[in-house]
């Protein structure tokens, strides 16, 4: 056991191992430098720092950013975190002026600001990927506005729909995900910098200036809340969790559609893998891994909720555990979005197979019931009963509804005429669903066109 046993340097080594965060919070280097430059500029504007010190700090931080970007920066574990690593390096470069940078701020408001900036950027990146996936789905939906496929409830054939209609359902889901991300971004867009450790500062700082420089709408209103709040990270993870759930549902459908009993779509070798012993297999591993990574994202949310649930005001070191789950969930959702968009653009629909299965399971039974109501004036509950008897006839004869003889239908309901057969095809069924939001090809084409215009 690495930290076990009775050895003299043990506690210090254990403390360093549990306390150090530079291994993961180095991701915040850009945000830390950006926040420090804004803070220094404000201190200069308020006369708290001299113009000479501000210029030295700004030039030094810009040079450190270039070092990190070029891979020349030596991160030091003993310095604990990204903030100290940068501050020590700044002191090496510019001397005494670097020691004045921390005036009127604390590590507490500094890290909260850095983390908010990072999450805000992550929301923008993820939102762009969500919209790209929506565009991919809308493009395929437009191409398959009239491609008939079976619609399911309880994974049983229910009514015919079009493939385009099915894909647009996920566009609607994703649009809500984009909305949740936008809401989370709007709510987090308040700047904690200047709250200091927990009580504010006695220096005459201008928090409005700092907030504006960093692109925040306003400074946070309460210094205690400023440093202890991680709602923004929790809300972001919550939005990612719902998004991941939607991606997982779609991944499950891709897996089902690719399976041998269905064979509604196929994926190329770009998004499938082979079997180690079965040469005929093409496994939809990209979809399966998208489905699986949902668990990681859910776990990140639950983990951070658990970290935060028992913390009193204001800051506690527990909050160091906020970043890794957010970083990991962001990496996971970004990969899943890229994989899903790739599969959507890659998949090939077997429209003949879709149409054949669309008519199975007496899927036009509701159309028959609707015809009985519309043409014969029958109450729907009576029409439902009559249709059920005709379905039983078809089942006993081993034929689909469209192949039940008129005389047999009339034995159940004498008023049925030859005209009934016009509504019993899957094409007629989907064409009739012209209500707003329905699966009629004309509706699907219009909805796909609307989304493509919105997403252009």
């Amino acid at each position: 056991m690495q930290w076990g046993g009775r050895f003299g340097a043990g506690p210090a080594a254990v403390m360093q191992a549990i306390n150090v965060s530079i291994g993961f919070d180095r991701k915040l280097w850009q945000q830390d430098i950006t926040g420090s430059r804004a803070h220094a500029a404000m201190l200069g504007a308020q006369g708290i720092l001299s113009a000479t010190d501000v210029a030295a700090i700004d030039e030094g931080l810009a040079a450190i950013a270039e070092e990190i970007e070029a891979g020349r920066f030596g991160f030091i574990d003993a310095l604990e975190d990204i903030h100290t690593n940068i501050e020590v390096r700044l002191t090496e470069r510019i001397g005494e002026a670097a020691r004045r940078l921390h005036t009127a701020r604390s590590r507490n408001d500094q890290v909260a600001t850095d983390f908010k900036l990072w999450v805000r950027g992550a929301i923008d990146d993820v939102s762009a990927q969500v919209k790209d996936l929506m565009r991919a789905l809308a493009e395929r939906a437009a191409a398959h506005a009239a491609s008939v496929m079976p619609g399911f409830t309880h994974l049983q054939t229910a009514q015919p729909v079009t493939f385009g209609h099915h894909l647009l359902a996920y566009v609607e889901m994703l649009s809500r995900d984009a909305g949740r991300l936008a809401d989370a971004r709007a709510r987090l867009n308040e700047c904690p910098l200047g709250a200091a450790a927990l009580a504010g500062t006695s220096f005459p700082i201008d928090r409005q200036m700092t907030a504006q420089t960093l692109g925040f709408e306003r400074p946070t209103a309460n210094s205690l809340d400023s440093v202890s709040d991680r709602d923004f990270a929790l809300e972001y993870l919550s939005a990612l969790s719902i998004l991941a759930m939607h991606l997982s549902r779609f991944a499950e459908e891709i897996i089902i559609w690719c399976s041998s009993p269905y064979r509604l779509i196929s994926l190329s070798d770009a998004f499938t893998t082979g079997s180690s012993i079965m040469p005929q297999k093409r496994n939809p591993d990209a979809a399966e891994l998208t489905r699986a990574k949902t668990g990681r994202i859910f776990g990140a949310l639950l983990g951070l909720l658990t970290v935060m649930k028992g913390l009193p005001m204001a800051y506690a070191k527990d909050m160091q555990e906020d970043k890794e789950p957010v970083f990991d969930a962001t990496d996971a959702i970004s990969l899943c979005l890229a994989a899903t968009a790739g599969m959507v653009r890659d998949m090939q629909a077997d429209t003949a197979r879709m149409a054949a299965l669309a008519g199975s399971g007496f899927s036009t039974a509701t159309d028959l019931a609707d015809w009985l109501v519309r043409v014969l004036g029958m109450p729907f509950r009576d029409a439902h009963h009559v249709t059920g008897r005709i379905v039983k006839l078809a089942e006993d004869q081993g034929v689909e509804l469209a192949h039940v003889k008129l005389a047999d239908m009339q034995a159940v309901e004498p008023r049925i005429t030859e005209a009934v057969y016009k509504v019993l095809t899957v094409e007629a069924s989907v064409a009739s669903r012209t209500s707003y939001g329905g699966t009629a090809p004309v509706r699907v084409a219009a909805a796909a066109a609307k989304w493509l215009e919105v997403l252009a």
Side-chain angles (χ1 to χ4, degrees):
M1 183 173 173
Q2 188 175 2
W3 306 114
R6 296 171 61 86
F7 53 94
V14 170
M15 182 59 198
Q16 180 179 350
I18 198 170
N19 195 49
V20 68
S21 60
I22 187 62
F24 55 85
D25 69 15
R26 68 178 64 188
K27 276 180 176 281
L28 299 175
W29 71 264
Q30 286 180 310
Q31 292 74 25
D32 194 71
I33 288 174
T34 299
S36 290
R37 294 176 79 173
H39 183 65
M42 181 276 295
L43 293 177
Q46 293 299 103
I48 299 169
L49 291 187
S50 69
T52 302
D53 282 348
V54 172
I57 289 168
D58 194 68
E59 290 171 9
L61 289 171
I64 290 170
E66 290 179 5
E67 287 181 7
I68 297 175
E69 285 180 334
R72 298 194 309 270
F73 188 91
F75 294 100
I76 301 171
D77 286 353
L79 296 179
E80 183 185 330
D81 57 31
I82 186 60
H83 323 291
T84 309
N85 267 263
I86 289 174
E87 186 176 332
V88 167
R89 180 61 180 139
L90 183 64
T91 304
E92 291 172 354
R93 291 190 67 97
I94 69 170
E96 189 70 20
R99 300 182 184 276
R100 298 190 178 97
L101 173 59
H102 211 52
T103 305
R105 76 173 181 186
S106 161
R107 187 70 82 239
N108 295 352
D109 61 335
Q110 183 181 2
V111 70
T113 303
D114 292 357
F115 197 25
K116 271 196 170 183
L117 287 169
W118 192 94
V119 171
R120 191 177 70 184
I123 287 174
D124 292 344
D125 292 342
V126 171
S127 296
Q129 285 193 276
V130 169
K131 289 171 184 174
D132 178 64
L133 175 55
M134 292 171 68
R135 192 158 39 245
L137 287 163
E139 287 168 354
R140 299 311 298 271
H144 289 284
S147 299
V148 181
M149 70 173 290
F152 301 98
T153 60
H154 309 276
L155 208 54
Q156 305 296 313
T157 302
Q159 291 177 271
V161 295
T162 69
F163 189 40
H165 191 58
H166 198 125
L167 296 177
L168 286 178
Y170 285 96
V171 176
E172 296 293 334
M173 291 185 205
L174 291 166
S175 72
R176 296 193 293 273
D177 292 317
R180 274 182 282 271
L181 288 166
D183 290 345
R185 191 191 195 284
R187 244 183 305 281
L188 75 74
N189 210 27
E190 297 180 341
C191 184
L193 202 57
L198 75 162
T201 178
S202 59
F203 288 95
I205 61 173
D206 183 350
R207 294 191 63 206
Q208 294 285 353
M209 176 183 173
T210 310
Q212 185 176 8
T213 301
L214 294 174
F216 289 104
E217 289 293 323
R218 63 190 71 83
T220 49
N222 182 285
S223 59
L224 279 169
D225 179 55
S226 301
V227 298
S228 65
D229 165 51
R230 292 299 182 269
D231 288 4
F232 64 93
L234 290 166
E235 189 171 6
Y236 171 57
L237 288 176
S238 177
L240 291 195
S241 294
I242 299 172
L243 169 58
M245 176 270 292
H246 287 151
L247 297 182
S248 184
R249 290 184 69 180
F250 187 55
E252 173 70 6
E253 298 217 89
I254 289 174
I255 293 162
I256 291 170
W257 293 343
C258 284
S259 67
S260 296
Y262 285 87
R263 302 194 313 279
L264 299 181
I265 66 167
S266 61
L267 292 171
S268 75
D269 292 346
F271 291 94
T272 58
T273 64
S275 165
S276 61
I277 64 169
M278 294 172 283
Q280 83 282 7
K281 293 287 293 298
R282 179 177 276 173
N283 301 321
D285 284 5
E288 290 174 2
L289 289 167
T290 295
R291 184 176 59 181
K293 285 183 185 295
T294 303
R296 294 176 76 126
I297 296 165
F298 289 0
L301 172 60
L302 185 57
L304 185 53
L305 282 167
T306 305
V307 166
M308 297 301 298
K309 72 173 182 63
L311 298 186
M313 292 287 187
Y315 181 82
K317 192 69 170 183
D318 308 52
M319 291 187 192
Q320 184 167 290
E321 293 297 309
D322 59 358
K323 295 167 197 66
E324 285 186 285
V326 170
F327 295 159
D328 184 74
T330 301
D331 288 344
I333 201 71
S334 180
L335 189 56
C336 291
L337 283 164
T340 305
M343 287 187 287
V344 169
R345 291 185 168 108
D346 179 77
M347 65 185 181
Q348 296 299 314
D350 187 337
T351 54
R353 174 74 175 165
M354 285 181 173
L357 288 183
S360 66
F362 313 109
S363 65
T364 56
T366 304
D367 298 276
L368 172 56
D370 289 347
W371 186 89
L372 294 172
V373 171
R374 190 170 57 252
V375 176
L376 302 186
M378 192 178 289
F380 184 81
R381 285 303 172 198
D382 294 344
H384 187 282
H385 177 71
V386 168
T387 300
R389 291 179 62 189
I390 294 173
V391 167
K392 182 67 169 60
L393 270 177
E395 193 172 39
D396 291 344
Q397 294 172 8
V399 297
E400 295 299 328
L401 277 176
H403 297 114
V404 176
K405 293 177 181 177
L406 179 61
D408 291 337
M409 289 192 195
Q410 290 173 334
V412 176
E413 170 50 61
R415 292 179 294 165
I416 294 176
T417 68
E418 190 82 28
V420 74
Y421 290 103
K422 292 181 180 178
V423 303
L424 296 183
T425 66
V426 292
E427 291 78 14
S429 176
V430 296
S432 71
R433 308 293 169 183
T434 55
S435 58
Y436 182 78
T439 192
V442 64
R443 284 289 190 185
V444 176
K450 181 207 77 170
W451 274 118
L452 289 172
E453 182 179 354
V454 168
L455 294 165

